[in-house]
Amino acid sequence: MCNGYVAGYDFKAKGASLFEVGANVHYLFKIGEKINVYPLAGIGYANIKGVVTKSEPEGRTREADNDDEEIGSSSMNKFYYNLGAGAEYAITDRFNIGVEVKWQGIKWFNRLPISIGVSYKF
């Protein structure tokens, strides 16, 4: 669950959805016969939808998240940046497997996605 603060209300991503579109640039460094590593940087756009609840007074703690009074739902559109690194290993001349870690900086909703993938060269 992600939490944030929006105009006097708590924004809880309880039952939330996230839609994003992004583009990254990579520069491959060949460090072995079948291994490449790369830094990456990029930008993107995200639409985040979640539940808006009333704020708690400062210093007060909640017993459980279920105690929050829901006011409605909210949608936010944010631009973000990516910084990270990845590596790929060539299984054959056409198939690669890889792993990628990148920091996504979105206002009050930063995250660190880790991706594992397979690619095919045409």
Side-chain angles (χ1 to χ4, degrees), residues 33-77:
E33 181 68 29
K34 295 185 172 198
I35 299 173
N36 293 320
V37 296
Y38 55 89
L40 70 89
I43 58 171
Y45 162 82
N47 176 270
I48 306 164
K49 294 180 182 178
V51 175
V52 179
T53 61
K54 278 190 177 178
S55 296
E56 292 294 331
E58 224 174 284
R60 183 175 169 202
T61 59
R62 295 186 179 104
E63 292 297 320
D65 285 337
N66 296 337
D67 295 340
D68 300 336
E69 182 183 341
E70 291 183 8
I71 295 173
S73 63
S74 180
S75 177
M76 288 182 273
N77 300 304

Side-chain angles (χ1 to χ4, degrees), residues 24-31 35-41 83-89 97-103 113-116:
N24 296 317
V25 292
H26 304 139
Y27 185 82
L28 297 175
F29 294 98
K30 191 170 188 86
I31 63 169
I35 299 173
N36 293 320
V37 296
Y38 55 89
L40 70 89
L83 295 173
E88 62 183 25
Y89 177 78
I97 59 171
V99 64
E100 187 173 277
V101 177
K102 60 186 173 186
W103 173 260
I114 300 170
S115 304
I116 298 172

